[in-house]
């Protein structure tokens, strides 16, 4: 690890040791080392190959539910071979460590892949929903882990409505319970960390600024610079799968 990065990780480890309420925002970069594609990377990102307006909006689903469903099926299939990476494991461990010393760490994730939970994370808020939970468009009832592939396309629920993925599409509201949990974490945290997100999609994009305005310490861990890099107290340039395990090591050292 280069010297500047190591110094950043040391500073953040110090903040973690004194923090009582920690909020960690994660994005697609956090799962990149698990093999899940990001969205905005120029060559490999999902939005470089697919048009979000044709796949991730309520209008796209209304116009062509089969294509939209098959795209989410492709993502479910991809995910079936992805496992949590060392970043997920270290963050789940930091959550347990925080709990053991009477503090609390909440993960606010924009990811729909369930990998924080798969790594053992418990205090995890899925801001953009989940690829594993689908919803009947007629009754609003949820169906967990529906069969893959579906028997028919577009698939219907047992209540007769079309089944849609339980993710948040562009133009939709975030799940109210997730918003409430995120608001609580943001209103009370004394340390906010943004990790593996381009910090371009709202409302998550504004979280660092809001935490800083309240006087919380702020940090970013990202492979590339982002719009919040200049705003945070500690900006660590690196891969979350490498930085998080080192952070865990330093924060929890006796
Ligand atoms: P993006 O694809 O916009 O950004 C991923 C960020 O992670 C970029 O800044 C990369 O530089 C960085 N990155 C990539 N690999 C990394 C690694 N191994 N370690 C650390 N950083 C890494 O993804 P998000 O910020 O999650 O929304 O995008 C936010 C939302 O936009 C998504 O939830 C999705 C998308 O459109 C919806 O679909 C509604």
């Amino acid at each position: 690890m280069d010297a500047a990065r190591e110094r950043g990780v040391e500073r953040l480890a110090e903040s973690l040791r004194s923090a009582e309420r920690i909020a960690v925002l994660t994005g697609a970069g956090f799962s990149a080392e698990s093999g899940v594609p990001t969205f905005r990377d120029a060559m490999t990102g999902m939005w470089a190959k697919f048009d979000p307006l044709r796949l991730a909006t309520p209008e796209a689903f209304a116009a062509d539910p089969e294509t939209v469903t098959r795209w989410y099926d492709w993502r479910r299939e991809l995910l079936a071979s992805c496992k949590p990476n060392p970043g997920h494991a270290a963050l789940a461990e930091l959550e347990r460590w925080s709990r053991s010393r009477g503090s609390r760490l909440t993960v606010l994730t924009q990811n729909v892949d369930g990998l924080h939970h798969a790594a053992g994370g418990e205090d995890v808020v899925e801001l953009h929903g989940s690829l594993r939970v689908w919803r009947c468009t007629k009754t609003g009832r949820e169906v967990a882990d529906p069969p893959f592939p579906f028997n028919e396309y577009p698939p219907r629920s047992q209540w007769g409505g079309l089944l849609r993925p339980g993710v948040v599409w562009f133009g939709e509201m975030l799940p109210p319970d997730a918003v409430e949990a995120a608001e609580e974490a943001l209103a009370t945290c004394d340390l906010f960390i943004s990790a593996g997100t381009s910090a371009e999609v709202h409302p998550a994009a504004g979280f660092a600024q809001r935490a800083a305005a309240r006087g919380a310490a702020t940090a970013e861990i990202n492979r590339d610079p982002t719009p919040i890099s200049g705003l945070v107290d500690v900006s660590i340039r690196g891969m979350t799968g490498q930085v998080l395990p080192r952070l865990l090591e330093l924060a929890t050292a006796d």
Side-chain angles (χ1 to χ4, degrees), residues 27-29 32-33 38-41 47 110-111 128 168 170 196-199 201 222-224 226 238-240:
E33 288 157 270
T38 59
F39 292 96
R40 289 178 183 73
D41 277 304
W47 297 154
Q110 299 165 92
N111 299 342
H128 290 175
V168 176
F170 289 101
T197 172
S198 60
V201 175
N222 211 68
R223 191 193 62 198
D224 303 303
T226 76
M239 311 289 257
T240 47

Side-chain angles (χ1 to χ4, degrees), residues 25-34 36-41 45-47 52 56 71-72 75 85 109-112 128 167-171 174 195-202 204 220-227 236-243:
L25 171 69
T26 69
F30 211 98
S31 294
E33 288 157 270
S34 293
V36 183
T38 59
F39 292 96
R40 289 178 183 73
D41 277 304
M46 218 109 65
W47 297 154
W71 186 64
Y72 281 94
R75 288 178 62 187
N85 66 53
T109 189
Q110 299 165 92
N111 299 342
V112 295
H128 290 175
V167 300
V168 176
W169 283 327
F170 289 101
L174 270 52
T197 172
S198 60
E200 287 190 23
V201 175
H202 282 279
E220 176 182 61
I221 304 165
N222 211 68
R223 191 193 62 198
D224 303 303
T226 76
I236 299 167
R237 198 67 53 246
M239 311 289 257
T240 47
Q242 293 170 10
V243 173

Side-chain angles (χ1 to χ4, degrees), residues 3 18 31 50 56 58 66 73 102 157-159 188 190 204 218 231 237:
S18 59
S31 294
F50 303 103
E66 172 161 357
D73 263 8
S157 77
Q158 64 194 97
W159 306 286
T188 53
D190 51 3
T218 54
L231 176 138
R237 198 67 53 246

Side-chain angles (χ1 to χ4, degrees), residues 91-229:
L91 189 54
E93 190 53 42
L94 276 172
E95 185 195 322
R96 279 191 288 276
W97 168 78
S98 297
R99 204 175 299 125
S100 73
R101 60 209 310 267
S103 50
R104 180 176 171 197
L105 184 153
T106 301
V107 176
L108 311 174
T109 189
Q110 299 165 92
N111 299 342
V112 295
D113 54 34
L115 292 177
H116 288 300
H117 285 116
E122 290 176 26
D123 202 342
V124 179
V125 178
E126 292 181 311
L127 292 165
H128 290 175
S130 166
L131 260 182
R132 300 186 59 179
V133 177
W134 290 57
R135 204 165 59 236
C136 171
T137 51
K138 189 168 153 197
T139 61
R141 292 167 81 164
E142 292 186 341
V143 179
D145 282 322
F148 173 83
F150 288 107
N151 300 328
E152 54 169 348
Y153 285 87
R156 289 197 174 271
S157 77
Q158 64 194 97
W159 306 286
L162 287 179
L163 259 188
R164 60 155 287 178
V167 300
V168 176
W169 283 327
F170 289 101
E172 290 188 319
M173 309 284 281
L174 270 52
D177 50 345
V179 171
E180 196 180 317
E183 288 296 333
E184 189 276 330
L186 283 176
T188 53
C189 69
D190 51 3
L191 173 61
F192 175 88
I193 304 171
S194 175
T197 172
S198 60
E200 287 190 23
V201 175
H202 282 279
F207 285 0
Q209 209 148 7
R210 289 177 52 195
R214 277 194 40 255
T218 54
E220 176 182 61
I221 304 165
N222 211 68
R223 191 193 62 198
D224 303 303
T226 76
I228 64 162
S229 301

